[in-house]
Amino acid sequence: MAPIDSRVLNLTDVSETDVTPLVPREELNAWKRGFTPQAEIWNGRFAMLGVTLVLATVLILNWERLGF
């Protein structure tokens, strides 16, 4: 099945200068309020931290019951 405009997508021809980032690199870690890409990045970081802490707590408190 051919693409709509009949062009072949060749990803090897794309250089990094052709890609415009959605958010400049210096703003990725900025503390901005509201629904911003920065807020989503920090939300993901804190979510992974929370999952890691919960998993560590479960493993530590149930170490003997798990048979290790």
Side-chain angles (χ1 to χ4, degrees):
M1 186 169 174
I4 295 173
D5 59 0
S6 299
R7 290 186 294 172
V8 177
L9 179 61
N10 188 357
L11 295 177
T12 58
D13 292 338
V14 178
S15 68
E16 289 195 27
T17 57
D18 294 338
V19 179
T20 305
L22 297 175
V23 179
R25 289 180 187 257
E26 60 272 0
E27 288 190 24
L28 283 179
N29 289 321
W31 284 93
K32 292 189 174 182
R33 299 182 117 190
F35 294 104
T36 63
Q38 294 86 357
E40 292 299 317
I41 289 170
W42 281 105
N43 185 26
R45 289 174 181 169
F46 286 128
M48 288 296 102
L49 179 65
V51 167
T52 304
L53 291 175
V54 166
L55 182 61
T57 303
V58 168
L59 286 174
I60 289 170
L61 294 179
N62 293 316
W63 189 257
E64 292 178 2
R65 257 191 267 170
L66 293 174
F68 292 112

Short mmCIF file of all heavy atoms in Angstrom, two decimals:
data_model
loop_
_atom_site.label_atom_id
_atom_site.label_comp_id
_atom_site.label_asym_id
_atom_site.label_seq_id
_atom_site.Cartn_x
_atom_site.Cartn_y
_atom_site.Cartn_z
N MET A 1 0.85 -1.17 0.00
CA MET A 1 0.00 0.00 0.00
C MET A 1 0.90 1.24 0.00
O MET A 1 1.75 1.41 0.86
CB MET A 1 -0.88 -0.02 1.24
CG MET A 1 -1.89 1.04 1.28
SD MET A 1 -2.99 0.62 2.65
CE MET A 1 -3.97 2.03 2.67
N ALA A 2 0.71 2.13 -0.93
CA ALA A 2 1.55 3.32 -1.08
C ALA A 2 1.02 4.45 -0.20
O ALA A 2 -0.18 4.54 0.05
CB ALA A 2 1.57 3.76 -2.53
N PRO A 3 1.94 5.31 0.26
CA PRO A 3 1.48 6.48 1.01
C PRO A 3 0.57 7.37 0.15
O PRO A 3 0.57 7.28 -1.08
CB PRO A 3 2.77 7.23 1.35
CG PRO A 3 3.85 6.20 1.24
CD PRO A 3 3.38 5.23 0.20
N ILE A 4 -0.18 8.22 0.79
CA ILE A 4 -1.16 9.05 0.09
C ILE A 4 -0.52 9.91 -0.99
O ILE A 4 -1.04 10.01 -2.09
CB ILE A 4 -1.92 9.94 1.10
CG1 ILE A 4 -2.74 9.05 2.03
CG2 ILE A 4 -2.81 10.93 0.39
CD1 ILE A 4 -3.40 9.77 3.15
N ASP A 5 0.63 10.51 -0.70
CA ASP A 5 1.25 11.39 -1.70
C ASP A 5 2.27 10.64 -2.55
O ASP A 5 3.02 11.25 -3.28
CB ASP A 5 1.88 12.61 -1.04
CG ASP A 5 2.94 12.23 -0.02
OD1 ASP A 5 3.18 11.03 0.17
OD2 ASP A 5 3.52 13.16 0.57
N SER A 6 2.29 9.30 -2.49
CA SER A 6 3.13 8.44 -3.31
C SER A 6 4.63 8.68 -3.13
O SER A 6 5.41 8.36 -4.00
CB SER A 6 2.76 8.59 -4.80
OG SER A 6 1.43 8.21 -4.99
N ARG A 7 5.04 9.29 -2.02
CA ARG A 7 6.45 9.44 -1.72
C ARG A 7 6.88 8.32 -0.79
O ARG A 7 6.11 7.89 0.06
CB ARG A 7 6.76 10.78 -1.08
CG ARG A 7 6.61 11.95 -2.04
CD ARG A 7 7.06 13.21 -1.38
NE ARG A 7 6.14 13.52 -0.27
CZ ARG A 7 6.35 14.49 0.60
NH1 ARG A 7 7.41 15.24 0.54
NH2 ARG A 7 5.49 14.71 1.56
N VAL A 8 8.12 7.91 -0.92
CA VAL A 8 8.66 6.87 -0.05
C VAL A 8 9.36 7.56 1.11
O VAL A 8 10.16 8.47 0.93
CB VAL A 8 9.65 5.98 -0.82
CG1 VAL A 8 10.27 4.95 0.11
CG2 VAL A 8 8.95 5.31 -1.98
N LEU A 9 9.04 7.13 2.31
CA LEU A 9 9.65 7.69 3.50
C LEU A 9 10.99 7.02 3.72
O LEU A 9 11.08 5.81 3.92
CB LEU A 9 8.75 7.48 4.72
CG LEU A 9 9.28 7.99 6.04
CD1 LEU A 9 9.50 9.50 5.98
CD2 LEU A 9 8.34 7.64 7.16
N ASN A 10 12.07 7.78 3.66
CA ASN A 10 13.40 7.27 3.87
C ASN A 10 13.98 7.97 5.10
O ASN A 10 14.36 9.14 5.03
CB ASN A 10 14.27 7.51 2.64
CG ASN A 10 15.60 6.83 2.75
OD1 ASN A 10 15.93 6.22 3.77
ND2 ASN A 10 16.39 6.92 1.70
N LEU A 11 14.06 7.26 6.21
CA LEU A 11 14.50 7.87 7.46
C LEU A 11 15.99 8.13 7.50
O LEU A 11 16.47 8.88 8.33
CB LEU A 11 14.09 7.00 8.64
CG LEU A 11 12.59 6.85 8.85
CD1 LEU A 11 12.32 5.92 10.01
CD2 LEU A 11 11.94 8.19 9.08
N THR A 12 16.75 7.53 6.60
CA THR A 12 18.19 7.76 6.60
C THR A 12 18.55 9.12 6.03
O THR A 12 19.65 9.61 6.23
CB THR A 12 18.92 6.67 5.80
OG1 THR A 12 18.41 6.67 4.46
CG2 THR A 12 18.71 5.31 6.43
N ASP A 13 17.62 9.76 5.32
CA ASP A 13 17.89 11.07 4.73
C ASP A 13 17.62 12.21 5.70
O ASP A 13 17.90 13.36 5.39
CB ASP A 13 17.05 11.28 3.47
CG ASP A 13 17.48 10.36 2.35
OD1 ASP A 13 18.63 9.88 2.38
OD2 ASP A 13 16.66 10.11 1.45
N VAL A 14 17.06 11.92 6.86
CA VAL A 14 16.70 12.96 7.81
C VAL A 14 17.90 13.21 8.73
O VAL A 14 18.41 12.30 9.37
CB VAL A 14 15.48 12.54 8.65
CG1 VAL A 14 15.14 13.60 9.68
CG2 VAL A 14 14.31 12.28 7.74
N SER A 15 18.35 14.44 8.77
CA SER A 15 19.44 14.78 9.69
C SER A 15 18.85 15.46 10.92
O SER A 15 17.70 15.85 10.95
CB SER A 15 20.44 15.71 9.02
OG SER A 15 19.86 16.96 8.77
N GLU A 16 19.67 15.61 11.95
CA GLU A 16 19.19 16.22 13.18
C GLU A 16 18.85 17.69 13.00
O GLU A 16 18.08 18.26 13.76
CB GLU A 16 20.21 16.05 14.30
CG GLU A 16 20.29 14.62 14.77
CD GLU A 16 21.01 14.49 16.07
OE1 GLU A 16 21.00 15.46 16.85
OE2 GLU A 16 21.55 13.42 16.32
N THR A 17 19.40 18.33 11.99
CA THR A 17 19.10 19.74 11.76
C THR A 17 17.73 19.90 11.13
O THR A 17 17.15 20.98 11.17
CB THR A 17 20.16 20.39 10.86
OG1 THR A 17 20.22 19.66 9.63
CG2 THR A 17 21.51 20.37 11.55
N ASP A 18 17.19 18.82 10.56
CA ASP A 18 15.87 18.89 9.93
C ASP A 18 14.74 18.78 10.95
O ASP A 18 13.60 19.09 10.66
CB ASP A 18 15.70 17.77 8.91
CG ASP A 18 16.63 17.92 7.73
OD1 ASP A 18 17.09 19.06 7.49
OD2 ASP A 18 16.90 16.92 7.05
N VAL A 19 15.06 18.31 12.14
CA VAL A 19 14.03 18.07 13.16
C VAL A 19 14.00 19.25 14.12
O VAL A 19 15.00 19.58 14.74
CB VAL A 19 14.32 16.76 13.92
CG1 VAL A 19 13.27 16.52 14.98
CG2 VAL A 19 14.40 15.61 12.95
N THR A 20 12.85 19.86 14.26
CA THR A 20 12.68 20.97 15.20
C THR A 20 12.12 20.42 16.51
O THR A 20 11.07 19.78 16.50
CB THR A 20 11.70 22.02 14.63
OG1 THR A 20 12.17 22.43 13.36
CG2 THR A 20 11.59 23.20 15.57
N PRO A 21 12.81 20.61 17.62
CA PRO A 21 12.29 20.09 18.89
C PRO A 21 11.04 20.85 19.32
O PRO A 21 10.88 22.03 19.03
CB PRO A 21 13.44 20.32 19.87
CG PRO A 21 14.25 21.41 19.27
CD PRO A 21 14.08 21.30 17.78
N LEU A 22 10.14 20.14 20.00
CA LEU A 22 8.92 20.76 20.48
C LEU A 22 9.21 21.78 21.58
O LEU A 22 8.57 22.81 21.67
CB LEU A 22 7.94 19.70 21.00
CG LEU A 22 7.45 18.71 19.96
CD1 LEU A 22 6.59 17.65 20.64
CD2 LEU A 22 6.68 19.41 18.87
N VAL A 23 10.17 21.45 22.42
CA VAL A 23 10.55 22.30 23.53
C VAL A 23 12.06 22.45 23.50
O VAL A 23 12.77 21.46 23.38
CB VAL A 23 10.12 21.67 24.88
CG1 VAL A 23 10.53 22.54 26.04
CG2 VAL A 23 8.63 21.43 24.90
N PRO A 24 12.57 23.67 23.60
CA PRO A 24 14.03 23.83 23.64
C PRO A 24 14.63 23.07 24.82
O PRO A 24 14.01 22.92 25.88
CB PRO A 24 14.22 25.34 23.82
CG PRO A 24 12.96 25.95 23.35
CD PRO A 24 11.88 24.95 23.62
N ARG A 25 15.85 22.60 24.65
CA ARG A 25 16.50 21.78 25.68
C ARG A 25 16.61 22.48 27.02
O ARG A 25 16.48 21.87 28.06
CB ARG A 25 17.89 21.36 25.21
CG ARG A 25 17.86 20.35 24.10
CD ARG A 25 19.28 19.98 23.70
NE ARG A 25 19.27 19.13 22.53
CZ ARG A 25 19.47 17.83 22.59
NH1 ARG A 25 19.71 17.25 23.74
NH2 ARG A 25 19.44 17.10 21.50
N GLU A 26 16.87 23.78 27.02
CA GLU A 26 17.04 24.48 28.30
C GLU A 26 15.73 24.61 29.08
O GLU A 26 15.74 24.87 30.27
CB GLU A 26 17.67 25.86 28.09
CG GLU A 26 16.88 26.78 27.21
CD GLU A 26 17.20 26.65 25.73
OE1 GLU A 26 18.05 25.85 25.36
OE2 GLU A 26 16.57 27.37 24.95
N GLU A 27 14.60 24.41 28.41
CA GLU A 27 13.31 24.53 29.10
C GLU A 27 12.77 23.19 29.59
O GLU A 27 11.76 23.15 30.28
CB GLU A 27 12.27 25.17 28.17
CG GLU A 27 12.49 26.64 27.94
CD GLU A 27 11.33 27.28 27.22
OE1 GLU A 27 10.21 26.73 27.31
OE2 GLU A 27 11.53 28.30 26.59
N LEU A 28 13.41 22.09 29.26
CA LEU A 28 12.88 20.78 29.63
C LEU A 28 12.79 20.58 31.13
O LEU A 28 11.87 19.94 31.62
CB LEU A 28 13.72 19.67 29.01
CG LEU A 28 13.49 19.41 27.54
CD1 LEU A 28 14.41 18.31 27.06
CD2 LEU A 28 12.05 19.07 27.24
N ASN A 29 13.73 21.12 31.89
CA ASN A 29 13.73 20.94 33.34
C ASN A 29 13.18 22.15 34.08
O ASN A 29 13.28 22.22 35.30
CB ASN A 29 15.14 20.63 33.84
CG ASN A 29 15.57 19.25 33.43
OD1 ASN A 29 14.77 18.32 33.46
ND2 ASN A 29 16.81 19.10 33.04
N ALA A 30 12.62 23.10 33.38
CA ALA A 30 12.08 24.30 34.03
C ALA A 30 10.82 23.94 34.82
O ALA A 30 10.05 23.06 34.45
CB ALA A 30 11.74 25.35 32.98
N TRP A 31 10.64 24.61 35.94
CA TRP A 31 9.44 24.42 36.75
C TRP A 31 8.37 25.39 36.25
O TRP A 31 8.37 26.55 36.60
CB TRP A 31 9.73 24.69 38.23
CG TRP A 31 10.47 23.59 38.89
CD1 TRP A 31 11.81 23.48 39.02
CD2 TRP A 31 9.91 22.43 39.50
NE1 TRP A 31 12.13 22.33 39.68
CE2 TRP A 31 10.98 21.66 39.99
CE3 TRP A 31 8.61 21.97 39.67
CZ2 TRP A 31 10.78 20.45 40.64
CZ3 TRP A 31 8.43 20.77 40.34
CH2 TRP A 31 9.50 20.03 40.81
N LYS A 32 7.47 24.89 35.41
CA LYS A 32 6.38 25.72 34.89
C LYS A 32 5.07 25.12 35.34
O LYS A 32 4.91 23.90 35.40
CB LYS A 32 6.43 25.80 33.37
CG LYS A 32 7.63 26.57 32.87
CD LYS A 32 7.52 26.80 31.39
CE LYS A 32 8.65 27.68 30.93
NZ LYS A 32 8.56 27.98 29.51
N ARG A 33 4.11 25.96 35.64
CA ARG A 33 2.82 25.50 36.10
C ARG A 33 1.86 25.31 34.92
O ARG A 33 2.01 25.92 33.89
CB ARG A 33 2.22 26.50 37.08
CG ARG A 33 3.09 26.69 38.30
CD ARG A 33 2.46 27.63 39.24
NE ARG A 33 2.20 26.86 40.44
CZ ARG A 33 1.48 27.29 41.44
NH1 ARG A 33 0.94 28.45 41.40
NH2 ARG A 33 1.32 26.55 42.49
N GLY A 34 0.87 24.47 35.13
CA GLY A 34 -0.13 24.25 34.11
C GLY A 34 0.17 23.00 33.29
O GLY A 34 1.05 22.22 33.60
N PHE A 35 -0.60 22.82 32.24
CA PHE A 35 -0.43 21.66 31.37
C PHE A 35 0.62 21.99 30.32
O PHE A 35 0.32 22.39 29.20
CB PHE A 35 -1.76 21.29 30.71
CG PHE A 35 -2.78 20.81 31.70
CD1 PHE A 35 -3.81 21.62 32.09
CD2 PHE A 35 -2.67 19.54 32.24
CE1 PHE A 35 -4.75 21.18 33.01
CE2 PHE A 35 -3.61 19.09 33.15
CZ PHE A 35 -4.64 19.90 33.54
N THR A 36 1.86 21.81 30.69
CA THR A 36 2.97 22.11 29.79
C THR A 36 3.80 20.85 29.61
O THR A 36 3.71 19.91 30.41
CB THR A 36 3.87 23.21 30.38
OG1 THR A 36 4.44 22.74 31.59
CG2 THR A 36 3.09 24.49 30.65
N PRO A 37 4.61 20.78 28.56
CA PRO A 37 5.49 19.62 28.41
C PRO A 37 6.42 19.41 29.60
O PRO A 37 6.70 18.28 29.99
CB PRO A 37 6.29 19.94 27.15
CG PRO A 37 5.42 20.86 26.37
CD PRO A 37 4.68 21.67 27.41
N GLN A 38 6.85 20.50 30.23
CA GLN A 38 7.72 20.38 31.39
C GLN A 38 6.99 19.72 32.54
O GLN A 38 7.56 18.89 33.26
CB GLN A 38 8.23 21.76 31.83
CG GLN A 38 9.13 22.42 30.83
CD GLN A 38 8.36 23.20 29.77
OE1 GLN A 38 7.15 23.21 29.75
NE2 GLN A 38 9.08 23.85 28.88
N ALA A 39 5.74 20.09 32.74
CA ALA A 39 4.95 19.49 33.82
C ALA A 39 4.76 17.99 33.57
O ALA A 39 4.81 17.19 34.51
CB ALA A 39 3.60 20.18 33.94
N GLU A 40 4.57 17.60 32.33
CA GLU A 40 4.41 16.19 32.01
C GLU A 40 5.72 15.42 32.26
O GLU A 40 5.70 14.28 32.71
CB GLU A 40 3.97 16.02 30.56
CG GLU A 40 2.57 16.53 30.30
CD GLU A 40 1.53 15.80 31.11
OE1 GLU A 40 1.60 14.56 31.22
OE2 GLU A 40 0.63 16.47 31.64
N ILE A 41 6.85 16.03 31.97
CA ILE A 41 8.13 15.39 32.22
C ILE A 41 8.32 15.16 33.71
O ILE A 41 8.69 14.06 34.15
CB ILE A 41 9.28 16.23 31.63
CG1 ILE A 41 9.24 16.16 30.11
CG2 ILE A 41 10.63 15.75 32.16
CD1 ILE A 41 10.16 17.15 29.42
N TRP A 42 8.08 16.19 34.52
CA TRP A 42 8.23 16.05 35.97
C TRP A 42 7.21 15.07 36.54
O TRP A 42 7.51 14.31 37.46
CB TRP A 42 8.14 17.41 36.66
CG TRP A 42 9.41 18.16 36.53
CD1 TRP A 42 9.68 19.21 35.72
CD2 TRP A 42 10.64 17.89 37.23
NE1 TRP A 42 10.98 19.61 35.87
CE2 TRP A 42 11.59 18.82 36.79
CE3 TRP A 42 11.01 16.95 38.19
CZ2 TRP A 42 12.89 18.83 37.26
CZ3 TRP A 42 12.31 16.96 38.66
CH2 TRP A 42 13.23 17.90 38.20
N ASN A 43 6.00 15.06 36.00
CA ASN A 43 4.98 14.12 36.45
C ASN A 43 5.45 12.69 36.21
O ASN A 43 5.31 11.82 37.08
CB ASN A 43 3.67 14.38 35.72
CG ASN A 43 2.55 13.53 36.23
OD1 ASN A 43 2.56 13.09 37.37
ND2 ASN A 43 1.58 13.28 35.37
N GLY A 44 6.04 12.43 35.06
CA GLY A 44 6.55 11.10 34.76
C GLY A 44 7.70 10.71 35.67
O GLY A 44 7.80 9.56 36.11
N ARG A 45 8.57 11.66 35.96
CA ARG A 45 9.70 11.38 36.85
C ARG A 45 9.23 11.03 38.25
O ARG A 45 9.70 10.07 38.86
CB ARG A 45 10.64 12.58 36.91
CG ARG A 45 11.39 12.79 35.63
CD ARG A 45 12.18 14.07 35.66
NE ARG A 45 12.90 14.27 34.40
CZ ARG A 45 13.49 15.39 34.07
NH1 ARG A 45 13.46 16.43 34.90
NH2 ARG A 45 14.10 15.51 32.92
N PHE A 46 8.29 11.81 38.77
CA PHE A 46 7.78 11.53 40.12
C PHE A 46 6.97 10.24 40.15
O PHE A 46 6.97 9.52 41.15
CB PHE A 46 6.96 12.70 40.64
CG PHE A 46 7.81 13.88 41.05
CD1 PHE A 46 7.53 15.15 40.56
CD2 PHE A 46 8.88 13.73 41.91
CE1 PHE A 46 8.32 16.24 40.94
CE2 PHE A 46 9.67 14.81 42.29
CZ PHE A 46 9.38 16.07 41.80
N ALA A 47 6.27 9.93 39.07
CA ALA A 47 5.51 8.68 39.02
C ALA A 47 6.45 7.48 39.07
O ALA A 47 6.20 6.50 39.79
CB ALA A 47 4.66 8.63 37.75
N MET A 48 7.56 7.53 38.32
CA MET A 48 8.53 6.44 38.35
C MET A 48 9.21 6.33 39.71
O MET A 48 9.46 5.22 40.19
CB MET A 48 9.57 6.64 37.26
CG MET A 48 9.06 6.40 35.86
SD MET A 48 8.54 4.69 35.61
CE MET A 48 6.77 4.82 35.74
N LEU A 49 9.46 7.46 40.35
CA LEU A 49 10.02 7.44 41.70
C LEU A 49 9.04 6.78 42.66
O LEU A 49 9.43 5.95 43.50
CB LEU A 49 10.35 8.86 42.16
CG LEU A 49 10.91 9.01 43.56
CD1 LEU A 49 12.28 8.33 43.65
CD2 LEU A 49 11.02 10.47 43.94
N GLY A 50 7.77 7.12 42.56
CA GLY A 50 6.75 6.52 43.42
C GLY A 50 6.62 5.03 43.21
O GLY A 50 6.52 4.25 44.18
N VAL A 51 6.62 4.60 41.97
CA VAL A 51 6.53 3.16 41.67
C VAL A 51 7.74 2.43 42.24
O VAL A 51 7.61 1.36 42.84
CB VAL A 51 6.42 2.93 40.15
CG1 VAL A 51 6.62 1.47 39.79
CG2 VAL A 51 5.07 3.42 39.64
N THR A 52 8.91 3.02 42.09
CA THR A 52 10.13 2.41 42.62
C THR A 52 10.09 2.31 44.13
O THR A 52 10.45 1.27 44.71
CB THR A 52 11.37 3.21 42.17
OG1 THR A 52 11.37 3.30 40.75
CG2 THR A 52 12.65 2.58 42.65
N LEU A 53 9.63 3.37 44.81
CA LEU A 53 9.55 3.34 46.27
C LEU A 53 8.53 2.32 46.77
O LEU A 53 8.77 1.63 47.77
CB LEU A 53 9.23 4.73 46.81
CG LEU A 53 10.34 5.77 46.64
CD1 LEU A 53 9.87 7.14 47.11
CD2 LEU A 53 11.57 5.34 47.41
N VAL A 54 7.40 2.21 46.10
CA VAL A 54 6.39 1.23 46.50
C VAL A 54 6.92 -0.18 46.31
O VAL A 54 6.77 -1.04 47.18
CB VAL A 54 5.07 1.44 45.71
CG1 VAL A 54 4.14 0.26 45.86
CG2 VAL A 54 4.39 2.71 46.16
N LEU A 55 7.57 -0.44 45.18
CA LEU A 55 8.13 -1.76 44.93
C LEU A 55 9.21 -2.10 45.95
O LEU A 55 9.25 -3.22 46.48
CB LEU A 55 8.70 -1.83 43.52
CG LEU A 55 9.28 -3.17 43.09
CD1 LEU A 55 8.22 -4.25 43.12
CD2 LEU A 55 9.89 -3.05 41.71
N ALA A 56 10.06 -1.15 46.26
CA ALA A 56 11.12 -1.38 47.25
C ALA A 56 10.51 -1.66 48.63
O ALA A 56 10.97 -2.55 49.35
CB ALA A 56 12.06 -0.18 47.32
N THR A 57 9.48 -0.92 49.00
CA THR A 57 8.81 -1.12 50.29
C THR A 57 8.19 -2.50 50.38
O THR A 57 8.33 -3.19 51.39
CB THR A 57 7.75 -0.03 50.52
OG1 THR A 57 8.37 1.25 50.44
CG2 THR A 57 7.07 -0.19 51.85
N VAL A 58 7.52 -2.92 49.32
CA VAL A 58 6.89 -4.24 49.31
C VAL A 58 7.95 -5.33 49.41
O VAL A 58 7.79 -6.29 50.17
CB VAL A 58 6.03 -4.42 48.04
CG1 VAL A 58 5.61 -5.87 47.85
CG2 VAL A 58 4.81 -3.52 48.10
N LEU A 59 9.04 -5.18 48.68
CA LEU A 59 10.10 -6.19 48.74
C LEU A 59 10.76 -6.25 50.11
O LEU A 59 11.03 -7.33 50.63
CB LEU A 59 11.15 -5.92 47.66
CG LEU A 59 10.72 -6.24 46.24
CD1 LEU A 59 11.80 -5.81 45.26
CD2 LEU A 59 10.42 -7.72 46.08
N ILE A 60 11.00 -5.09 50.71
CA ILE A 60 11.66 -5.06 52.02
C ILE A 60 10.76 -5.64 53.11
O ILE A 60 11.19 -6.44 53.93
CB ILE A 60 12.10 -3.63 52.37
CG1 ILE A 60 13.27 -3.22 51.46
CG2 ILE A 60 12.48 -3.51 53.83
CD1 ILE A 60 13.62 -1.75 51.55
N LEU A 61 9.49 -5.26 53.11
CA LEU A 61 8.59 -5.71 54.18
C LEU A 61 8.17 -7.16 54.02
O LEU A 61 7.80 -7.81 55.00
CB LEU A 61 7.36 -4.80 54.22
CG LEU A 61 7.62 -3.36 54.64
CD1 LEU A 61 6.32 -2.56 54.63
CD2 LEU A 61 8.27 -3.29 56.01
N ASN A 62 8.19 -7.69 52.81
CA ASN A 62 7.73 -9.07 52.59
C ASN A 62 8.87 -9.98 52.14
O ASN A 62 8.63 -10.99 51.50
CB ASN A 62 6.62 -9.09 51.52
CG ASN A 62 5.37 -8.41 52.01
OD1 ASN A 62 4.96 -8.60 53.14
ND2 ASN A 62 4.79 -7.60 51.16
N TRP A 63 10.11 -9.64 52.47
CA TRP A 63 11.28 -10.40 51.99
C TRP A 63 11.22 -11.85 52.45
O TRP A 63 11.44 -12.76 51.65
CB TRP A 63 12.54 -9.71 52.52
CG TRP A 63 13.78 -10.27 51.91
CD1 TRP A 63 14.66 -11.12 52.50
CD2 TRP A 63 14.30 -9.99 50.61
NE1 TRP A 63 15.70 -11.41 51.64
CE2 TRP A 63 15.50 -10.73 50.48
CE3 TRP A 63 13.87 -9.22 49.55
CZ2 TRP A 63 16.26 -10.71 49.32
CZ3 TRP A 63 14.64 -9.19 48.40
CH2 TRP A 63 15.81 -9.92 48.29
N GLU A 64 10.90 -12.09 53.73
CA GLU A 64 10.87 -13.46 54.25
C GLU A 64 9.70 -14.24 53.68
O GLU A 64 9.81 -15.43 53.41
CB GLU A 64 10.80 -13.44 55.77
CG GLU A 64 12.08 -12.91 56.41
CD GLU A 64 11.97 -12.85 57.92
OE1 GLU A 64 10.93 -13.24 58.47
OE2 GLU A 64 12.93 -12.40 58.54
N ARG A 65 8.56 -13.59 53.51
CA ARG A 65 7.39 -14.28 52.96
C ARG A 65 7.57 -14.67 51.49
O ARG A 65 6.98 -15.63 51.03
CB ARG A 65 6.17 -13.38 53.07
CG ARG A 65 5.26 -13.79 54.20
CD ARG A 65 3.96 -13.08 54.13
NE ARG A 65 4.10 -11.88 54.97
CZ ARG A 65 3.23 -10.92 55.00
NH1 ARG A 65 2.17 -10.95 54.26
NH2 ARG A 65 3.42 -9.89 55.79
N LEU A 66 8.39 -13.90 50.78
CA LEU A 66 8.61 -14.20 49.37
C LEU A 66 9.59 -15.35 49.17
O LEU A 66 9.71 -15.88 48.08
CB LEU A 66 9.13 -12.95 48.64
CG LEU A 66 8.14 -11.80 48.54
CD1 LEU A 66 8.82 -10.57 47.93
CD2 LEU A 66 6.95 -12.18 47.68
N GLY A 67 10.31 -15.74 50.22
CA GLY A 67 11.18 -16.89 50.16
C GLY A 67 12.59 -16.59 49.68
O GLY A 67 13.29 -17.49 49.19
N PHE A 68 13.05 -15.40 49.83
CA PHE A 68 14.41 -15.05 49.40
C PHE A 68 15.36 -15.12 50.56
O PHE A 68 15.18 -14.89 51.65
CB PHE A 68 14.46 -13.66 48.79
CG PHE A 68 13.74 -13.58 47.48
CD1 PHE A 68 12.57 -12.83 47.36
CD2 PHE A 68 14.23 -14.24 46.35
CE1 PHE A 68 11.92 -12.75 46.15
CE2 PHE A 68 13.56 -14.15 45.15
CZ PHE A 68 12.42 -13.42 45.05
#
